[in-house]
Every structure is written in structure tokens, then in C-alpha cells.
Amino acid sequence: MAEIRLQGITKIFDKKVRAVDEVDLTIADREFMVLLGPSGCGKTTLMRMIAGLEYPEHGRVSIGNRDVTDLPPRRRDISMVFQSYAVFPHLTVFDNVAFGLRMKNIAKAEIKRRVEGAAELVQLGPYLERYPAQLSGGQRQRVAVARAIVMEPAVLLMDEPLSNLDALLRLNFRAELKRLVGELKTTTIYVTHDQVEAMSLGDRIAVMREGRIVQCGTPMEIYDRPANRFVGGFIGSPPMNFLSGRIERSNGHLQVGLGDQMLTVPATLGGRTAGEVLVGIRAENIEAEAAPAEGAIAARTEVVEPLGSHLLVTAAVGDQKLKIQARTDFPARPDAPLWLRPEPDKLRWFDPESGQEIDAR
Amino acid sequence: MKGQRLGWAPYALLLPSLVFLAVFFAAPMVQAFGLAFQNDAGNWSLESWRTMFADAQFREALVTTLILIVILIPVQFVLAMAMALVINARLKWSGLWLYIYAIPLGISELAAGIIWFAIFTQQGWLNSILEGLGILDRPYIFLNYQNPAWLISAVVLAEAWRATSIIMIILVAGLQGIPRDFFEAADVFGATSWQKVRRVILPMLRPSVQVALILRTILAFQAFAVVIALAGGGLTVLSSEAYRWYSDYRDSHVAAAYAGFILMLSVVSTILFLWLLPVREEQQG
């Protein structure tokens, strides 16, 4: 059992910068948790505190019901894949992978067995006698992963492990990593700024901003119901569209006005009946029509980007821009009018001041 | 830069240092070798070498020089490594430590010898302190030619104090070239501080270690001013023999033979270090 519990973790740099601010997070045994956020959000610092490479000013870290807050990394039963790989250049692949086992004085025969097993898992079998300088970037990355998994740790930490690979390798290795960690069933924490990686790998994602966790949930929850404007804008490509509107009441029904057009809204808007509101909708949840239709909003086409599987259309409603995913056979032309029909149950509502989601369900 | 056409620019940039080296190093060196292999009449001869090897002081000078090296190099290396690690740990005030450690670098060899002479001499600081503490009731003569162990110890202390920071600076530069991730990886994968030094830092620092050892050994073969200042004639090393033959006996041929002998020892020790500590390209990051 290796549940990780973080309680009130705070890290302050230079006596004033709160890199991590009162973070509470519980990661279940065998869970794959992704820490996601833009650079400088504190995700790497949070992971380093779990590793024991940094110590928090306040708060406790426990792994498997054991308080490890004040223990050095080697007493925490963790292992880590570094962003730079940090594969020792003076050691062969075998010796790199065996490094941690040797530090634990494990018998030679068992080291050999386990190193060869781990190397097999990441397809490094034929390269055990090579030095890292004789390997490609992708292979060095595998050495770093093998060195971490061979320890059979309670917790596996990965700090942006794919960010130094080129795009194609990253795509392949992502899936391989998912399979591997799925087989190992080790509690894993994975730091990334890449929302696609986060979506694809995580059982749950903790989205961080300015040292705090702003939302934590399954990838689909976070994608579908972002807790605030920041999360909606950060997750998804293209990011969620946001349009500002005005809540109006006509014939006893609530409506939201976008310029001079009206958008039908759910029965309640978190109790709001007037004022500004931010409407969030994802590009794939808007149906584009070439002709006026009942309940559709008139817009003007600005840019058409054919992306192979679909068209990405940038449209303007009044002076507000939004992106729409349209079928490739949609007759989109710059400057042509088009009509937009958002899926009503995919509309999300946010407070324009705080950016927080308004629960309209 | 590979494959780029640079024309004559690199050669022009190299020229001043090449001229300097040729005039002030290569030419005197060739001259010295010429002197060493000639007799007074100016004919080619091994006479100076025979005189040198047969000289009663030669053996003593060689043994003392080797003893100095055998004690100094490991002691200085361990000290320098410890100092370098303290600085690289980036603790509070580590910049201050660097300056404190580096102070002896600014002091000339002879001045360093005189400082330690002032400590060890009959009315020196060490005797004053020991008397003040009541440990001695009259001054002990440390620097006595009948007591070579003390003389060597004093020279080792003075040389270690004077030249350890040269090694340290080379090691600090090397350490700072190693990304911290490697040290952190060692921490994560269970290395204790000692294991980290032995298994990660020293191997990755090998190019710097090699340079530091070669440089320090060559300088130790040339040890002179500190020995003269502390021991006078009580202790002789190879370079003081070269000096003695040149200035006391006015025999520049034997003096040149000593110089040539020191050069050969330096070359042999350098080859030895290159062979013992090979820096293999595939093992470098």
C-alpha cells in the first residue's frame, strides 16, 4: 500500500515567493496522478518535496501511512525519472540500471536478474554494455525509466520525462509508458505542462496554478467541467471558447445576450438573474450551419484551417472570437456568414470577475 | 564551427602566444638540454649526468622530493576535494569560504615559506603558544637539520597550505560543470554521501582530477622556495640541487642535467596519470 498524503504543503523560496501554497492532495494506492500546469506553477517543486529533494516550510508528506517529511530521498522508497534523464555518463546501461540496487547491497545474481528484466520491459536488452553517449535520446530516456522501475519502489516520480523527445518518439513512448505503468501498478506521480500527455496518461489530473491546485479530477471531468476559466483555457486544443454575455430575463425565461443575439440558457444560472456572465463552450460542441437555422447564432467566418480530420474555423460573433470544429465538407470561406448551434448541455458558465464556474445544473 | 572556412584568422590569433612560448620557453629549454649534454669544452658528453648521479646529494634530493610528492599529493587532494565539496554544496557563506581558501594563492612561494618559518622557528609562534600553554618549558627547535622528519613535515604543511587551493579551484570548476541532476539522482537512488562522492562525483570529475593531479605533481617536482625558506641547507630537493650547482659550483652543465632530470620525471608522472586515469570519450556526458 502506498497512498500518498500531502497536508498543507508550503514551499517558500527566498523568504517571499510561495512556490507551493498550502497544497492538500491524497493520491490513492496504484493511482497515476498527473500534476499539470504552466511553467512556474509549482508542480515540479511539489514533486521534489515528495521525493525529498526539497523540504517544505510547512505541511507533512506521508507515503503509505509513514510520515516521510523529514527523511532524505533514499529513506522514502521512491524512485524518479528526471527531465534531463540524469543517466550517469561514466556507467554502462547495465550499471546505470543497477545503480540503486547496488546502493542497497542486493546480491549480484538478483541484480543481474532484475536489471535484465527491467531492460527487457523497456526494450534495452541489446544495449546493456553500451555507454549513454552511444545511445540516442530516446534510448537514454528508457535507461532512466528502467533505472527507476527496477527499484520496485512504492512511488514512481516522473518529472516531464517526455519533454526532451521529438514529437513522434513522444507519441510512441507515451503509450508505452502508459502500458508499462499500468502493468507495474505502482503509485505514480507525473509532472508535465503538456495537457495532452496529462489527459492521455492520468487516472486523475491535478491542475496547478501559482502554487495551488485549482482542480483535481479525472481527465474527462476536468475537460468537461473545468472549475474555472484558467483550467478551461489550459486544457484542450484549441482551448475552450469564452464569450462574455449579459443575463437577461424575457417572458419569465433566462437568456444570455451575446451582442444583439440571444442564447437560451438552463433554467437557473446559479441563482443569477442579471449581470455579466462568461459562456464557455468547446470547439467540438458547436455545430456549424451554412444557412440560418432556428436557435442558431449568426457569425462571420474569419479563418479556416483544414487539419485533415476536421476544419478549425475561427469565427466572430459581434466582436468576440471563437473556434469551431467543423466537418471537412463544411463550405467554410473567409468572410462568409455562418450560423452556430452550441450543444446546450455542453455550455459552461463562469463568473466574469473570479473566473470560477457557476453551477447551472 | 566544423567545416566553416576561417582562413588565416585562427593562426593570427595563435601567433602571439606561439612567439611567446618559443622565445621564453622552448628556446631556453633546448639550450638547457644542450648544456646538460655538453662538457666545459663544448663537446657532446654525458659527463654532467654522470657527475649528477654520482653526487652524494643526488640520492637524498631525489628521495626527499619523492617523499614530498607521496605525502603531499594525497593529502592535498583529499583536502582540496573536501573544500571543493563544501563550496559546491552552496551552503550559506560558501562564497566567503572560496575567498578564504583562495587567499594562499595570492602569496608567493617564498613568502609562504617565510610565513611558516615564522611559525616554526625557535622564537616563532608555535613555540610561543606551546610555552604560553605550559606544554613546553623552553623552545623546541623544530627546524633542525638533525631532525629531517620535522623539516619534511614543516615543508609539507607549508606546501599544503600554499598550493591546496590550486587543486581546489580546478575541482570546483569541474564540479560546477556537473549538472545537479546527477547528484540528485544519486540521492534518490540511495547513495550515501560517501557513495555519492565515490560512485558519482569522482568518476564524473575525472578530467578535472587528472588535470589537477598532473599540475600539482609537476609543481611539486619543482618545489624550491618553500624548502629553502624553511630548511635552508638542512633539506635538499632536486631543484635546490640544480640551484646549488648553478650558483655555488658555477657548473651550469650539471645544473642543466638536474633541470632535465626534473623535466623527465614530470613527463613520466604525467604519462602515469594519463594511463592510470584515462578519460574515455564514451564515458563523458
Side-chain angles (χ1 to χ4, degrees), chain B residues 175-252:
Chain B
L175 275 177
Q176 291 183 344
I178 302 177
R180 298 187 93 68
D181 281 3
F182 289 112
F183 303 150
E184 294 185 343
D187 284 335
V188 164
F189 290 103
T192 59
S193 302
W194 167 240
Q195 285 171 322
K196 193 159 60 168
V197 171
R198 212 182 88 67
R199 305 275 199 144
V200 177
I201 296 180
L202 279 177
M204 293 193 69
L205 208 53
R206 188 179 266 201
S208 305
V209 170
Q210 194 190 58
V211 168
L213 287 179
I214 289 172
L215 200 69
R216 185 60 192 109
T217 306
I218 291 175
L219 290 176
F221 276 122
Q222 299 170 1
F224 176 65
V226 168
V227 180
I228 293 289
L230 276 172
L235 202 62
T236 186
V237 289
L238 290 171
S239 47
S240 50
E241 284 306 298
Y243 174 74
R244 196 165 61 89
W245 278 91
Y246 186 80
S247 74
D248 293 1
Y249 302 153
R250 308 260 161 210
D251 188 332
S252 50

Side-chain angles (χ1 to χ4, degrees), chain A residues 48 53 73-74 79-80 82 84 86-90 99-100 103 131 133 147-148, chain B residues 181-182 184-192 195 199-200 203-204 282-285:
Chain A
R48 289 169 59 82
L53 296 170
R74 64 193 160 86
S79 60
M80 184 160 171
F82 289 79
S84 65
V87 167
F88 300 118
H90 61 287
F99 187 89
M103 296 299 119
Y131 285 97
R147 180 175 66 178
Chain B
D181 281 3
F182 289 112
E184 294 185 343
D187 284 335
V188 164
F189 290 103
T192 59
Q195 285 171 322
R199 305 275 199 144
V200 177
M204 293 193 69
E282 76 266 21
Q283 295 181 5
Q284 301 305 309

